Amino acid sequence: MRSGGTTWLRAAVLLLLLVSSSAVAAEGTKTGSKAHNYEEALRKSLLYFEAQRSGRLPHGQRVPWRDHSGLTDGLEQGVDLVGGYYDAGDHVKFGLPMAFTVTMLSWSLVEYGDYVAAAGELAHALEAIKWGADYFVKAHTKPDELWAEVGDGDTDHYCWQRPEDMTTSRQAYKVDRENPGSDVAGETAAALAAASMVFRDSNPHYAHLLLHHAQQLFEFADKYRGKYDSSIAEVKSYYASVSGYKDELLWAALWLHRATGRADYLDYVVDNAHDFGGTGWAITEFSWDVKYAGVQILAARLLLRGEHTAAQKETLERYQAKAEHYVCACLGRNRNTDDDDESSNNVERSPGGMLYIRQWNNMQYVTNAAFLLSAYSDYLSDAGVATVTCAGGLTAGADEVAALARQQVDYVLGDNPRGVSYLVGYGAKYPARVHHRAASIVPYKHSKQFIGCTQGFDHWFGRRSSNPNVLVGAIVGGPDRKDRFRDDRENYMQTEACTYNTAPMVGMFAKYNKMARDGREQRLATARSPVTSAAAEV
């Protein structure tokens, strides 16, 4: 029997190896590349925010080619506005996209903070949030006053300079009672409310300060209603509030409810659901301007968790229906009941599978969609719900929602027809000519010779060579609807990076790093199983 038993065992081991090999081959075919190093991606994504810092840089600054800049911001107006972030490749501090960046960074930690900590990056993530939150506390100079912009886009775009050499206008612009800005005040309230949750355990005094400012800003935004681009004309050409301010009011109220648990904030979201478009708008994008999909998913979370009264349930169900319209739009599952074109109900996909909204900085919609899809799939899983209901009667599995989020993240990291990582500094092939003033000019610390406004254009902008500084962690605008990408500094629609492209990916990289680590541990446990031990004996 000994010989026969050994023969059987050899056959079993061979079968096990064949099955394992087949599974690995199938996995490789499915992803189209080797497994990604999400921990590296997470680490690099947080570096990017240090490259975007304005103000006096701290001793722990890890991006060596940046130095102090914007040290007189607010001086002419008699207010300290030093600090904050440059939103992209220029040097204007735009309040609305900066606040959205902080909201998404904070949401990343609210959902996946433990995973960020497990990767050893919690301190850096908290620093990234605090750098923006500190600035907003400064900019909120009175209960009904918020400084919403520093610098002027028109004059800034005429120059190609390092931030350390800036000669452009640093005029500051505010919203107040006479010149309201409910959208920028509302988004800033959301950012500070979300950030307060992040710091609640590690720095409760600071968390309380942030929450205090968030509540005042929400009251200001709600009481004195108006679009900020009607009060600040200079912002219209760059960050106009196309969706208006009602989505930001709902968004802020939901974040304040989550941060405080106060019933009146949820009452606000329910009472204004119809009039503010929360249960009316069926949206196919989520961005610094259009928050409705995020509002609807946060409201659906409350329904799934049962955190509501009986009277609020019906309204929250309408919110959830719109949330699932967005999810199904990304999956391409919404169907019209009539003969109308269904493309308006679904998001276009490139041949390589990238969600495509529009040609200018499309990657912002990809990364933000990945986050919403991931968060919603987690909410469904926590509630034990397996399916999503799409317009027209189709359904989708919660696992499909999670898989689409993962696929979009992997597309960004290089699983695309060009094999390009759109996360700068990650992978073997990534954009080398990012449209970014500081990255494209010799570092100030290496050459402190002043570079003038037009000199930067003449000597640096038009160079065909790679940027002298790698903008590690930046996510550029990305490819077009056919997956085509031209790595050219002048091609700003595709090669300019923005803070709100990278912010949601902090949470995504942390989550997938945790999943990868759990998978490795599971494989190690399998390797120690009795069958494998017997194989080793044979």
Side-chain angles (χ1 to χ4, degrees), residues 324-358:
E324 299 201 339
H325 181 280
Y326 172 81
V327 170
C328 292
C330 293
L331 290 165
R333 294 288 177 82
N334 288 322
R335 296 289 181 268
N336 283 345
T337 54
D338 51 32
D339 295 328
D340 292 341
D341 181 13
E342 292 176 354
S343 62
S344 61
N345 284 325
N346 293 301
V347 178
E348 181 183 346
R349 296 269 199 100
S350 72
M354 175 188 68
L355 296 170
Y356 182 82
I357 301 293
R358 54 182 59 89

Side-chain angles (χ1 to χ4, degrees), residues 193-260:
S196 75
M197 298 176 65
V198 172
F199 288 99
R200 186 176 292 159
D201 293 333
S202 63
N203 193 341
H205 175 75
Y206 184 63
H208 179 76
L209 174 69
L210 299 184
L211 192 56
H212 172 70
H213 280 275
Q215 291 172 317
Q216 280 194 344
L217 281 163
F218 177 71
E219 291 173 14
F220 165 48
D222 188 41
K223 187 174 181 180
Y224 301 97
R225 295 181 184 177
K227 290 173 57 177
Y228 89 122
D229 57 13
S230 296
S231 299
I232 304 173
E234 288 77 7
V235 81
K236 276 196 171 181
S237 300
Y238 302 95
Y239 286 103
S241 182
V242 178
S243 70
Y245 57 79
K246 294 178 179 177
D247 52 339
E248 276 86 9
L249 290 177
L250 294 172
W251 179 243
L254 278 166
W255 276 112
L256 281 163
H257 174 260
R258 192 164 179 180
T260 66

Side-chain angles (χ1 to χ4, degrees), residues 265-278:
Y265 288 121
L266 182 54
D267 289 338
Y268 183 94
V269 173
V270 170
D271 294 343
N272 291 290
H274 175 74
D275 292 344
F276 284 11

Side-chain angles (χ1 to χ4, degrees), residues 35 45 134 258 295 330 335-336 385 387 423 480 509 531:
S45 69
D134 284 351
R258 192 164 179 180
V295 166
C330 293
R335 296 289 181 268
N336 283 345
V385 177
T387 58
L423 178 74
D480 64 12
F509 294 149
V531 172

Side-chain angles (χ1 to χ4, degrees), residues 306 308-315:
H308 57 81
T309 65
Q312 294 168 335
K313 183 179 180 183
E314 184 181 350
T315 302

